[in-house]
Amino acid sequence: MARTLINVPKSAKPGEVVTIKTLISHPMETGFRPGADGRIKPRDILTEFVCAYDGEEVFRAEMFPATAANPYVSFTLKAERTGTLTFTWRGDNGFDQTETATLNVA
Amino acid sequence: MSVGWAQKVPALRRKTEFRLMMSGMALIINLASFRGCAAEPGIHRRRALLIWRRRRLWILGSPSAPRNEDAVSHPDHDRSTRPGKGAEVAFGAWLLVGIMTTASATEIPPAERRSGYDTMGAETQAMQRDDTTNPGMLWVQDGADLWEKVPSQAKLACAGCHGDATQAMRGVAARYPAFDERSGGPIDLETRINRCRTDNQSEAPYAQESRELLAVMAYVATQSRGLPITPVPDPRLGAARERGRALFTARMGQLGLTCAACHDDNHGHKLGAATIPQGHPNGYPLYRLEWQGLGSVQRRLRNCMTGMRAEPFAAGSSEALDLELYLMSRAAPLPIETPAVRP
């Protein structure tokens, strides 16, 4: 399990636009770099990030070899109801990780 | 600075003038290298001639003028390309200007010491300030887990002896490197952590610059965040600190630069696009955007030395340790920023 840092506001007003910040620990090996032995290191990157709000997809991002290591993704969404946010990262070598956070709306 | 004169001159002429200026600089450098080569003719001389021909080609106009890559901040070859010959010439020119215009190195007075944080861009500063955007926190959290984790061979985790790191490790990073009774010299945080690991936990030491070692270092050092650097006033460290000071002001490498030439005499000025910082190690281990990872102060020193075209001090060598010891006293009383973020 890769370590993640997720910042969801503690509470939001109905209709408020909130900023979500996510950071995940990942080497994002490009597949172009030689290692210490001179051989090209195989590509190992994240390719997809998806955020769902109570099961409904609200944000999606694609990632490529030029994306830096430990990708940081920040985006906004409109808080409508108290609900669960799920964050899913997918990538090479079957990488698939999902984290959840609760957005409190009152 | 006014650029009015430059706008009046056609672009071509400006380019020619710049190249002529560079040719003067390169000539001086080459004369110096020829003098050195004359004593032992043969391959060295032929190689010097070849280099001079290539440079002349560039000065007089070659199809592809080499780009001036930032020679100082790329030396690890992590995700970078080697700087071209153009960088050498431009760097040499910069060096000559530096030598001609700077006075002898004087240490920055404590009141004028500034963290590298102050010269970063606003975005990078914001990234460091917020713990949910600071990538160094990924290592700090790893370190917090390792602190509690009981190693396979050992009976006790770090926490088993030291307890709560937020209390026990507070202020430790601000006073390291400390005096080590066993070796009779300074000891830095990473060596101290590894000694605890081998002696008290009967485990193999963490490898230099390994993720685990950096994580524990970052976790320990983060407990001193905001506390001023307070070097140990132990008189037994005096000699090592003086050796560190001597290294800081000693010319080294093929460019004959000193640490002080940049970080004492020319901080705040530009080297390429980068602002030269005062060079205080107050945020290590820190997340460098160029490294795309966390690194120790010794890794940073190796970076700088490769840029100076000097042979870098080996990891854990006494020279690196002495220099680190001096740098910490030179940085006092700046607050610890671990895990800092730097470009």
Side-chain angles (χ1 to χ4, degrees):
Chain A
M1 290 285 278
R3 193 171 287 282
T4 58
L5 296 172
I6 295 168
N7 185 0
V8 174
K10 286 196 177 68
S11 65
K13 293 183 177 69
E16 188 182 341
V17 174
V18 294
T19 303
I20 314 288
K21 300 175 198 170
T22 68
L23 186 64
I24 186 166
S25 177
H26 197 280
M28 297 296 282
E29 189 57 58
T30 61
F32 299 108
R33 299 197 307 158
D37 60 357
R39 292 174 191 278
I40 298 294
K41 293 183 184 176
R43 194 184 93 158
D44 179 18
I45 64 164
L46 298 173
T47 51
E48 188 181 51
F49 170 74
V50 179
C51 173
Y53 187 8
D54 275 343
E56 180 197 359
E57 184 178 311
V58 289
F59 181 83
R60 172 181 288 268
E62 281 181 80
M63 286 180 263
F64 297 92
T67 310
N70 311 311
Y72 164 70
V73 179
S74 172
F75 56 96
T76 56
L77 60 85
K78 199 169 173 181
E80 284 157 348
R81 61 196 176 274
T82 296
T84 308
L85 293 171
T86 59
F87 306 94
T88 305
W89 290 265
R90 292 192 193 90
D92 293 342
N93 308 318
F95 189 97
D96 191 333
Q97 183 171 341
T98 300
E99 300 286 332
T100 59
T102 305
L103 179 62
N104 289 306
V105 179
Chain B
M1 199 179 80
S2 166
V3 288
W5 67 272
Q7 282 159 352
K8 285 173 200 153
V9 185
L12 192 68
R13 206 183 130 198
R14 256 185 291 144
K15 200 171 166 186
T16 318
E17 278 176 357
F18 174 72
R19 288 189 167 185
L20 278 171
M21 189 178 79
M22 286 298 161
S23 77
M25 299 293 187
L27 189 64
I28 295 166
I29 294 164
N30 273 279
L31 282 176
S33 53
F34 268 118
R35 254 180 53 187
C37 293
E40 39 172 359
I43 186 140
H44 296 297
R45 184 156 192 172
R46 280 203 299 278
R47 196 163 165 266
L49 261 168
L50 191 71
I51 291 169
W52 167 236
R53 281 203 197 109
R54 270 194 222 137
R55 278 185 190 158
R56 200 177 48 178
L57 195 68
W58 176 69
I59 292 152
L60 300 176
S62 61
S64 60
R67 285 188 305 144
N68 185 3
E69 299 279 346
D70 185 349
V72 161
S73 60
H74 275 307
D76 240 13
H77 304 304
D78 276 4
R79 290 198 176 199
S80 61
T81 52
R82 289 177 64 88
K85 281 284 182 282
E88 285 179 22
V89 178
F91 202 72
W94 177 85
L95 154 78
L96 284 174
V97 172
I99 289 168
M100 286 185 287
T101 56
T102 54
S104 60
T106 48
E107 196 168 300
I108 303 161
E112 290 169 28
R113 291 173 188 174
R114 296 284 176 270
S115 166
Y117 177 88
D118 295 355
T119 47
M120 304 197 296
E123 293 89 350
T124 321
Q125 289 180 341
M127 186 190 269
Q128 176 179 320
R129 275 196 310 269
D130 183 349
D131 278 353
T132 57
T133 64
N134 184 336
M137 292 309 288
L138 297 167
W139 276 259
V140 172
Q141 293 188 358
D142 281 354
D145 284 358
L146 288 169
W147 185 264
E148 301 287 341
K149 190 179 152 199
V150 182
S152 53
Q153 302 294 318
K155 294 185 182 73
L156 288 170
C158 305
C161 290
H162 298 284
D164 182 6
T166 56
Q167 300 298 319
M169 292 294 123
R170 192 174 150 78
V172 169
R175 64 170 185 267
Y176 261 70
F179 184 75
D180 174 33
E181 297 283 351
R182 196 191 299 178
S183 70
I187 184 170
D188 59 4
L189 207 52
E190 56 188 283
T191 315
R192 190 68 195 82
I193 289 168
N194 263 338
R195 181 177 294 174
C196 229
R197 207 171 143 76
T198 52
D199 293 7
N200 303 330
Q201 297 185 315
S202 313
E203 288 283 313
Y206 292 125
Q208 298 276 351
E209 297 295 322
S210 64
R211 188 172 177 105
E212 290 82 9
L213 181 56
L214 289 169
V216 177
M217 281 164 72
Y219 182 60
V220 168
T222 301
Q223 311 309 329
S224 305
R225 191 145 59 152
L227 298 177
I229 293 172
T230 41
V232 191
D234 195 322
R236 292 171 296 181
L237 284 174
R241 198 169 276 136
E242 280 310 308
R243 284 198 300 274
R245 186 198 301 271
L247 287 170
F248 192 79
T249 50
R251 293 200 184 278
M252 51 176 94
Q254 291 176 312
L255 296 173
L257 284 169
T258 71
C259 308
C262 280
H263 298 292
D264 271 351
D265 298 341
N266 282 300
H267 61 83
H269 296 158
K270 293 281 185 185
L271 177 60
T275 304
I276 301 172
Q278 292 185 353
H280 296 305
N282 60 327
Y284 286 93
L286 58 73
Y287 192 92
R288 203 158 172 236
L289 299 180
E290 187 187 298
W291 291 338
Q292 303 194 18
L294 213 69
S296 70
V297 62
Q298 293 204 4
R299 181 176 177 190
R300 189 66 190 84
L301 293 178
R302 291 197 291 276
N303 255 201
C304 245
M305 291 181 74
T306 314
M308 293 158 76
R309 289 205 255 151
E311 186 182 336
F313 296 140
S317 63
S318 66
E319 288 97 337
L321 192 54
D322 291 346
L323 189 51
E324 188 183 338
L325 181 71
Y326 168 65
L327 287 176
M328 285 301 269
S329 70
R330 180 180 172 269
L334 288 175
I336 295 281
E337 292 175 17
T338 310
V341 178
R342 293 289 183 270

